[in-house]
Amino acid sequence: MSRSKPIAVVSGVAVAAVLLGVVSYTATKPASPGAAGSSSVAEVSADPSAGVYAELEAYARRDASDKLALGRADAPVVLIEYADFKCGYCGKFARDTEPVLIEKYVDNGTLRIEWRNFPIFGEESEAVARASWAAGQQGRFWEFHKAAYAEGAKEKGFGKDRIAALAKEAGVPDAARFAKDSEGAAARAAVSADQEQGYSLGATSTPSFLINGRPIAGAQPLETFTETIEAAAKAAKSAKAPKAPKPSEPAEPSESADGAAKPGPDAAR
């Protein structure tokens, strides 16, 4: 599920890199390598600000033109997913958990999901990541995502012919453009930027998530995500709520030139 690689920690996220790469993964990794998914539940504090790091929260792009994102750009909660299409745990999240989150939170404007390609399993991972980006350029990223994460899809591999079949299944309209875009410099640059961002943040496994600055590692149970999203939404609402004005204080008596106190405006006459 993971592959180690030297981590280039960018300025300002050193603490975040340690948190996501070590603490979060250790606390939430699956119970055994053969498990279908994580059996442990990442602890979510009742305090919505606990475990949240501003350095990580800042990585939400909130770009309305992002073709690899789902939901309102101004949603109060942003879930960023770093994932690989060859990752079984990522597929489990995509099939079992993500649809529930979309129905429960994206559809009502609470949540935005931002995808980051994080290919860590070799050439096929890189190829299908670029293909997903290319599908997105024709407005079919999420359809491609669904086809590539369908039960048994990764077992068929992601060779050139298979990727073309997935694009057709996803309804990508221009096959020639798709093939060209998949191998183009723009696709390579986009995937590389996502990948390096994941490494810089300390991600060493897939899937890895950030939810308004709170890291979660692994295909955690649904309740981990719902609790985290609701805590983040609560914190966002609280941050936007107008603060109650302070009660007015009585005017302080002023002094005359000779030092004698003058009565305030409310003094009896």
Side-chain angles (χ1 to χ4, degrees):
M1 186 180 69
S2 63
R3 186 188 74 175
S4 61
K5 176 177 179 176
I7 300 171
V9 181
V10 296
S11 176
V13 297
V15 173
V18 172
L19 180 72
L20 183 60
V22 180
V23 179
S24 179
Y25 178 67
T26 301
T28 64
K29 64 183 179 182
S32 65
S38 175
S39 60
S40 60
V41 179
E43 181 178 352
V44 179
S45 170
D47 178 357
S49 65
V52 174
Y53 294 80
E55 298 93 335
L56 296 178
E57 190 170 4
Y59 277 78
R61 292 171 181 159
R62 293 186 177 277
D63 180 356
S65 66
D66 186 350
K67 300 180 186 301
L68 276 61
L70 193 65
R72 289 169 39 182
D74 63 348
V77 184
V78 178
L79 180 154
I80 305 174
E81 178 184 4
Y82 298 85
D84 186 317
F85 285 103
K86 290 193 72 174
C87 163
Y89 293 96
C90 302
K92 178 177 175 59
F93 173 80
R95 292 188 300 272
D96 299 347
T97 304
E98 196 164 42
V100 179
L101 300 182
I102 291 171
E103 182 179 358
K104 188 176 178 67
Y105 300 111
V106 175
D107 289 350
N108 71 10
T110 299
L111 179 68
R112 175 176 174 84
I113 298 175
E114 296 188 354
W115 172 269
R116 304 286 189 270
N117 273 303
F118 193 51
I120 60 175
F121 294 114
E123 291 183 7
E124 283 199 353
S125 288
E126 298 271 357
V128 71
R130 294 194 304 270
S132 75
W133 181 89
Q137 303 318 294
Q138 298 189 51
R140 306 302 288 179
F141 170 78
W142 290 100
E143 291 80 4
F144 186 94
H145 173 280
K146 182 178 180 180
Y149 275 139
E151 191 73 54
K154 80 179 185 69
E155 284 73 19
K156 297 178 182 179
F158 293 110
K160 188 174 182 179
D161 290 344
R162 178 64 182 146
I163 285 175
L166 289 171
K168 183 176 181 180
E169 183 180 344
V172 176
D174 189 334
R177 177 190 169 190
F178 170 79
K180 183 179 179 180
D181 286 350
S182 294
E183 296 301 324
R188 294 178 187 276
V191 170
S192 178
D194 283 355
Q195 187 178 45
E196 289 308 312
Q197 183 185 89
Y199 282 129
S200 76
L201 290 170
T204 57
S205 64
T206 53
S208 289
F209 305 90
L210 299 177
I211 300 178
N212 275 24
R214 185 195 298 270
I216 294 176
Q220 291 291 318
L222 175 63
E223 57 266 31
T224 294
F225 291 95
T226 57
E227 289 173 8
T228 306
I229 290 166
E230 289 176 12
K234 178 182 177 182
K237 182 178 180 181
S238 176
K240 287 187 176 182
K243 294 181 179 180
K246 292 182 179 180
S248 58
E249 297 178 354
E252 293 290 335
S254 58
E255 291 187 353
S256 63
D258 60 4
K262 291 183 176 180
D266 297 328
R269 286 174 165 69

